[in-house]
């Protein structure tokens, strides 16, 4: 479940908070990861320079193969060619790592624009192994005032066709937690591989 998470109300914004900060290991400012699925592939460039905690967390899931066999399970559509797709571990005990500190966009300078990859969460500081990718600008997910928003940490640099294919996948009516009704993909799209690429 995006853990009831992500965005109650389909495409709306939530609050904020944090856990103890952690340092990402040294490395390049941008790290590219290829995400393979049963309907195609995409490449995301993760911004380690601006969102080191969130990027480091995602890379740990990638390097330890924790995403392989999970799925994109949610397609939240908000009009023509706009919305988000959500995937990840869904709190599976054998896949999920401890929560990480929240990196709001007000601190990182990143924004939720088309192709942004960001962390799903219930409250700030609770993000683990679920993430979402936007189609269209979603400024309501950026931190503003008391709303700490969601932790954007990179951008799709190839494969938006795959992202849109997932966004347009059939969804099951009346399935999902309140705020995510009719957004759960009927046949979740399996993540078959995640690999760092040059």
């Amino acid at each position: 479940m995006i853990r009831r998470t992500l965005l109650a109300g389909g495409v709306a914004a939530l609050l904020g908070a944090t856990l103890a900060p952690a340092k990402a290991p040294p490395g390049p400012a941008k790290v590219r990861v290829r995400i393979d699925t049963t309907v195609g592939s995409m490449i995301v460039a993760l911004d380690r320079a601006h969102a080191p905690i969130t990027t480091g967390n995602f890379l740990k899931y990638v390097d330890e193969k924790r995403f392989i066999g999970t799925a994109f399970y949610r397609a939240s559509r908000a009009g023509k060619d706009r919305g988000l797709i959500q995937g990840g571990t869904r709190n599976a005990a054998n896949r999920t790592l401890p929560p990480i500190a929240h990196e709001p966009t007000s601190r990182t300078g990143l924004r939720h624009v088309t192709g942004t990859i960001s962390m799903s969460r219930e409250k700030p500081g609770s993000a683990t192994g679920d993430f979402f990718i936007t189609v269209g600008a979603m400024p309501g997910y950026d931190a503003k005032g008391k709303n700490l928003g969601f932790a954007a940490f990179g951008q799709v640099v190839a494969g938006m066709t795959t992202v849109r294919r997932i966004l347009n996948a059939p969804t099951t009516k009346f399935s999902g937690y309140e705020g995510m009704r009719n957004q759960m993909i009927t046949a979740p799209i399996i993540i078959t591989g995640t690999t760092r690429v040059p």
Side-chain angles (χ1 to χ4, degrees):
M1 59 185 195
I2 167 171
R3 283 194 313 256
R4 269 187 287 255
T5 243
L6 176 55
L7 334 155
V11 207
L14 262 18
L15 3 42
T18 56
L19 285 189
K23 280 190 175 180
K30 294 277 180 82
V31 182
R32 292 184 176 219
V33 171
R34 178 185 173 106
I35 302 172
D36 297 310
T37 79
T38 48
V39 298
S41 301
M42 65 193 82
I43 295 175
V44 291
L46 309 182
D47 196 333
R48 188 193 289 243
H50 294 94
I53 296 168
T54 313
T55 295
N57 176 68
F58 192 86
L59 289 174
K60 193 162 187 182
Y61 280 88
V62 169
D63 295 342
E64 295 180 4
K65 313 294 185 190
R66 290 174 181 266
F67 286 135
I68 297 175
T70 65
F72 284 99
Y73 54 84
R74 182 180 179 211
S76 175
R77 296 182 276 270
K80 183 175 171 56
D81 200 37
R82 190 164 180 274
L84 64 88
I85 62 173
Q86 184 176 334
T89 62
R90 299 185 83 175
N91 283 334
N94 62 331
R95 294 181 183 273
T96 304
L97 297 168
I100 57 170
H102 182 57
E103 291 181 306
T105 56
S106 54
R107 185 191 310 160
T108 64
L110 305 177
R111 295 290 177 263
H112 288 87
V113 296
T114 292
T116 295
I117 183 168
S118 191
M119 291 306 294
S120 305
R121 58 145 176 99
E122 287 181 357
K123 61 184 180 180
S126 68
T128 55
D130 284 85
F131 60 94
F132 64 97
I133 297 171
T134 59
V135 178
M138 304 254 174
Y141 295 154
D142 294 336
K144 187 174 182 181
K146 293 182 179 178
N147 170 24
L148 292 187
F150 293 88
F153 64 103
Q155 222 36 56
V156 175
V157 294
M160 279 302 291
T161 300
T162 299
V163 174
R164 288 185 171 91
R165 191 173 294 137
I166 297 170
L167 181 64
N168 290 311
T171 53
T172 303
K173 284 192 173 184
F174 312 118
S175 174
Y177 293 94
E178 188 178 349
M180 298 194 302
R181 294 276 162 82
N182 306 327
Q183 298 175 16
M184 309 311 283
I185 297 174
T186 306
I189 291 156
I190 305 303
I191 296 173
T192 58
T194 54
T195 317
R196 295 194 196 212
V197 294

